[in-house]
Amino acid sequence: MTADAVDRRHLLVGMAAAGLSVTGHAVRAAETGQAPVSAPAGVQQDMATCRFGVIHYHFVKPAKPTGKLPVLCFHASPGSGLGFTRFLPFLGTDRMVIAADNPGYGLSDRPHQPSTIADFAGAMGDLMDALNLKQVDLVGSHTGSATAVELTRQRPGAVRRLVLHSAPLFTPQEIADYKVRLAGSHPESLDQAAAQLPDLWSKFARMRNELGDDLAWKVFWEMNRDPLHRGWGHDAAFAYDYASGLKQVRQPTLILNPQESMSPVTARARGMAPNIQVMDLPWTGGLFSLHAQDVAPLVRAHLDA
């Protein structure tokens, strides 16, 4: 038995222990690494308007309506909805799945002032209104985890279930330490930003191995599209009272905890409330890119429970 097979069996055990229903499709997907259905939908793009101007999003939808709620996916910082493009087809075979660019990221317009998590969530609420989405499920990654929590706080009746990749339950000292480490990475001029690009690209070697050069290059440029403002997302996440917001969430919430630097921080959510389930995952690397095919059945099982 391969290590991957062992990992997938551990996931099934973890899902059962967490009280998640495991459908036949999810079992087969976890055991074989295959998507729940064989023909993923193509990823499309569109734009809508929000309080900050244009908001851009990637999306997939099944060929025929299925009656299942649409899913909004919120990305980490810096980055954009492009980071979900491998994940969208696997989850979008039986429901519409949308990955929007936060204001100031990707192709979405940048606000005039530094953004807050409330701004991000408000813009996503505007997108819901523009698309006439009355109720949704949410998937959030890192900064997007905070955005999902805040949108649920702002519109509790419009959100049914949440899946969060990591829970930024940082202590004040941890936030201060992160800010110190990140401070030197933000350029003060475009010339300085341009000078940093070769070194930044060289550090993208792991992503190139995981994603392939073509997608890695696109993700790289999304992360560096607006270098003088790329720190706004991190600043917004650090300023947000995530613990307080998460405690206000009453919806069933699955928190995915892969093996990454935030794993011990995310583990603090375990036991926080009866509606919150933390699932430890054996993987490192891009959860919604490198492991998209394996993560999608776990997300589907929670949303369909």
Side-chain angles (χ1 to χ4, degrees), residues 43-50 53-59 73 75 80-82 85 98-109 124 127 222 225:
V43 178
Q44 303 177 62
Q45 301 179 59
D46 207 341
M47 292 186 172
T49 57
C50 71
V54 167
I55 186 167
H56 171 261
Y57 60 96
H58 294 83
F59 72 97
C73 300
H75 64 82
S80 73
L82 181 69
T85 51
I98 300 165
D101 302 343
N102 275 340
Y105 292 87
L107 295 178
S108 294
D109 285 341
M124 297 307 165
L127 178 61
E222 290 291 272
R225 180 187 295 275

Side-chain angles (χ1 to χ4, degrees), residues 142-294:
H142 288 228
T143 299
S145 176
T147 303
V149 166
E150 176 60 17
L151 181 58
T152 305
R153 193 194 67 79
Q154 291 181 7
R155 300 189 178 204
V159 177
R160 189 189 61 146
R161 286 175 173 262
L162 297 87
V163 177
L164 307 176
H165 166 210
S166 300
L169 291 165
F170 296 114
T171 67
Q173 185 58 55
E174 287 168 339
I175 291 176
D177 292 342
Y178 263 105
K179 286 183 175 180
V180 169
R181 290 199 295 271
L182 289 171
S185 65
H186 300 321
E188 297 180 358
S189 69
L190 291 177
D191 286 340
Q192 187 181 40
Q196 290 178 348
L197 290 177
D199 184 55
L200 291 174
W201 177 242
S202 70
K203 293 178 180 177
F204 234 62
R206 192 195 74 185
M207 292 290 287
R208 294 173 68 179
N209 289 333
E210 291 179 358
L211 304 179
D213 281 351
D214 183 60
L215 182 55
W217 184 251
K218 293 176 181 176
V219 171
F220 175 79
W221 280 112
E222 290 291 272
M223 295 177 68
N224 294 283
R225 180 187 295 275
D226 190 4
L228 301 186
H229 304 91
R230 68 187 177 201
W232 282 12
H234 284 132
D235 291 343
F238 290 143
Y240 183 67
D241 189 348
Y242 185 85
S244 177
L246 187 59
K247 289 175 182 177
Q248 295 179 51
V249 171
R250 297 291 179 264
Q251 289 83 343
T253 300
L254 173 65
I255 299 179
L256 302 176
N257 190 23
Q259 299 303 303
E260 59 185 18
S261 61
M262 280 184 59
S263 182
V265 175
T266 298
R268 295 168 185 166
R270 186 171 281 111
M272 180 177 286
N275 63 300
I276 296 174
Q277 300 164 333
V278 178
M279 179 183 290
D280 294 325
L281 300 177
W283 306 311
T284 60
L287 197 62
F288 295 103
S289 53
L290 180 64
H291 303 293
Q293 193 170 12
D294 289 315

Side-chain angles (χ1 to χ4, degrees), residues 79-95:
S80 73
L82 181 69
F84 284 103
T85 51
R86 281 195 172 178
F87 173 74
L88 296 183
F90 294 118
L91 189 63
T93 53
D94 58 354
R95 69 202 74 201

